Amino acid sequence: MKTPIVHYKKTIAAAVVLCLLAGAAFLMRVKEAAIPAPLPFVTVAGMPPVPDPRNLYSEIGAGHLSAAVRGDLARIYVPNLRSNDVSVIDPATMKVVDRFKVGISPQHVIPSWDLRTLWVANNAERQDTGSLTPIDPITGKPGQAIAVDDPYNMYFTPDGKSAIVVAEARRRLDFRDPHTMALQYAIDVPKCGGINHAEFSIDGRYALFTCEFDGAVAKIDLSARTVLGYLKLSMPKTRVREGFDPRNPGASEICTTRKGMPQDVRVSPDGKRFYIADMMADGVHIVDGATFTQVGFLASGPGTHGLYPSRDGKFLFITNRGTHRIHGKRRGPGNVDVMEFASEKIVAHWVIPNGGSPDMGNVSADGNWLWLAGRFDDVVYRIDTRDGAVRQVKVGGEPHGLTVWPQPGRYSLGHTGNLR
């Protein structure tokens, strides 16, 4: 039996612990209250709201499949630039289950804003026979192609009212009806040679388009339909030596090239910074969207090309296709780097066994696999996002902007699946 004194002392001790816990909880609430919650963004009319201003990728997380895509086939659609066709891979069996002809020089497979059509952009390089071939994601079969001038790539305005056909050779953005592809209006971008890839601001008011042959970025006001300006990207002091040994990733050379070759572009989860892959600089330029100034550079690998956020919005997969040249050799030193958004540092480096040329692609719906076209090796890579392990599937000639379908998200901004 406990004595009254011992019981009293334990009661006092318990009271003290409760007071300390209560005080800690109070201080935590005060601390949390002192941190202001992010203000909601006023988005353009018709654009779906941004649920989490701290992470605009919140709605592409694993399990966030829209009801609109739940009856669609699980497939990887691969446009083969040189053989003018599309290879269709069943990701469960890792086999090509279909292959069909499309227009000349298919570059990218692009999910529509409403997620109901996959468009193959056939830009017919150096010819005037460009077209867009629709694919029904329920059956995986192509429909009748629509003649469109120079569709190298395609995006959609955040409100879903227009498809933006990137007419690369014309230095022009053609805004078209997202269903019929009838021309609505166009924006000339005369100082943007090789205009090709794009990303949109968190509020949908502007977009950045890369200018591959001018080493620059163009900022487009989507509401005013005007070019706000151009930003010439600064080259780093050193870069990766052409043909370096992939077992020696530190190999480098003095960068004497004054002009970069920017490719894909993606925005940070909070919408403040834009990351721009540059295949001549071998890394990623970092641009402040609001001030439209370059604020940093992150070295990556040879021929930095594609950028894909992880399903949880914490990492950015960076593809390096192994060369500074537009047409490279087989089994080059291509690789993939993983950047952590929070620190803007490379946290993993994945080498393609026996060499390769990882280019464009996307992440599986569950986030476990990064699917990429092996541009110069006529294969597709499936890379395990947990450890970088690689498997390959043989496809057609010179695969380019493949898409993984279905993907989580409410709507598509285009390219190979820039969903939000």
Side-chain angles (χ1 to χ4, degrees), residues 122-131 148-153 165-172 174 176:
N122 315 297
N123 82 317
E125 292 180 318
R126 294 176 293 279
Q127 300 181 51
D128 294 324
T129 53
S131 64
V148 171
D149 188 24
D150 192 28
Y152 173 81
N153 207 342
V165 171
V166 183
E168 180 186 43
R170 310 283 191 261
R171 302 193 183 202
R172 194 181 68 221
D174 291 340
R176 296 177 175 271

Side-chain angles (χ1 to χ4, degrees), residues 368-413:
N368 292 335
W369 312 106
L370 174 63
W371 291 85
L372 298 170
R375 182 73 177 266
F376 309 127
D377 295 271
D378 299 344
V379 298
V380 164
Y381 308 114
R382 190 196 71 176
I383 301 175
D384 193 317
T385 58
R386 294 154 290 192
D387 59 13
V390 181
R391 287 187 62 184
Q392 300 185 14
V393 180
K394 179 71 174 176
V395 292
E398 197 172 345
H400 191 194
L402 70 81
T403 198
V404 178
W405 201 254
Q407 293 182 39
R410 299 166 296 165
Y411 62 99
S412 168
L413 290 171

Side-chain angles (χ1 to χ4, degrees), residues 25-343:
F26 173 75
L27 290 175
M28 184 62 71
R29 287 195 298 272
V30 170
K31 183 178 180 181
E32 290 176 349
I35 301 174
L39 294 175
F41 283 93
V42 179
T43 58
V44 294
M47 174 182 166
V50 180
D52 183 357
R54 294 164 296 190
N55 180 19
L56 55 75
Y57 298 118
S58 65
E59 303 310 297
I60 67 164
H64 285 199
L65 284 174
S66 165
V69 305
R70 286 179 184 160
D72 294 352
L73 290 172
R75 295 289 186 265
I76 313 300
Y77 296 92
V78 188
N80 300 304
L81 178 66
R82 197 172 64 250
S83 53
N84 300 323
D85 56 18
V86 171
S87 298
V88 184
I89 300 172
D90 182 341
T93 64
M94 292 285 290
K95 293 182 178 180
V96 174
V97 295
D98 197 6
R99 188 168 172 177
F100 49 81
K101 283 291 184 180
V102 290
I104 301 172
S105 304
Q107 300 281 2
H108 303 91
V109 177
I110 302 143
S112 63
W113 189 91
D114 62 5
L115 314 179
R116 298 319 310 132
T117 307
L118 304 176
W119 293 95
V120 186
N122 315 297
N123 82 317
E125 292 180 318
R126 294 176 293 279
Q127 300 181 51
D128 294 324
T129 53
S131 64
L132 292 168
T133 302
I135 300 174
D136 183 343
I138 294 178
T139 65
K141 299 297 182 181
Q144 185 65 41
I146 299 173
V148 171
D149 188 24
D150 192 28
Y152 173 81
N153 207 342
M154 187 163 69
Y155 291 86
F156 294 88
T157 54
D159 60 8
K161 292 182 179 179
S162 301
I164 309 174
V165 171
V166 183
E168 180 186 43
R170 310 283 191 261
R171 302 193 183 202
R172 194 181 68 221
L173 301 174
D174 291 340
F175 290 72
R176 296 177 175 271
D177 182 284
H179 304 291
T180 68
M181 294 300 157
L183 184 65
Q184 297 169 335
Y185 59 93
I187 297 176
D188 290 320
V189 195
K191 297 180 182 179
C192 192
I195 187 169
N196 50 34
H197 299 93
E199 179 61 295
F200 298 80
S201 63
I202 192 171
D203 58 9
R205 298 183 184 282
Y206 67 86
L208 298 190
F209 280 81
T210 54
C211 311
E212 180 175 3
F213 304 130
D214 280 329
V217 186
K219 187 174 184 178
I220 310 295
D221 186 318
L222 297 173
S223 298
R225 304 178 182 179
T226 59
V227 179
L228 293 173
Y230 302 90
L231 173 65
K232 184 72 176 290
L233 298 168
S234 300
M235 294 293 283
K237 293 181 179 180
T238 61
R239 67 174 184 176
V240 180
R241 188 179 73 248
E242 184 76 28
F244 85 112
D245 187 338
R247 293 167 296 182
N248 180 24
S252 62
E253 65 181 2
I254 300 297
C255 182
T256 57
T257 301
R258 294 175 180 243
K259 184 173 67 175
M261 191 176 282
Q263 305 292 319
D264 205 4
V265 50
R266 279 297 175 121
V267 67
S268 61
D270 63 6
K272 295 179 180 179
R273 292 154 90 91
F274 288 77
Y275 302 94
I276 302 165
D278 191 320
M279 64 183 288
M280 292 296 282
D282 298 337
V284 178
H285 304 283
I286 305 173
V287 170
D288 182 288
T291 62
F292 199 40
T293 56
Q294 184 170 345
V295 295
F297 179 82
L298 178 70
S300 186
T304 307
H305 200 79
L307 304 173
Y308 305 97
S310 61
R311 290 281 165 224
D312 58 9
K314 293 182 179 180
F315 302 98
L316 185 68
F317 301 115
I318 304 170
T319 72
N320 306 301
R321 67 182 189 182
T323 180
H324 305 132
R325 300 185 178 95
I326 293 176
H327 302 288
K329 298 179 180 179
R330 292 181 182 272
R331 295 190 175 185
N335 56 67
V336 175
D337 281 328
V338 183
M339 184 197 83
E340 182 184 51
F341 274 118
S343 65

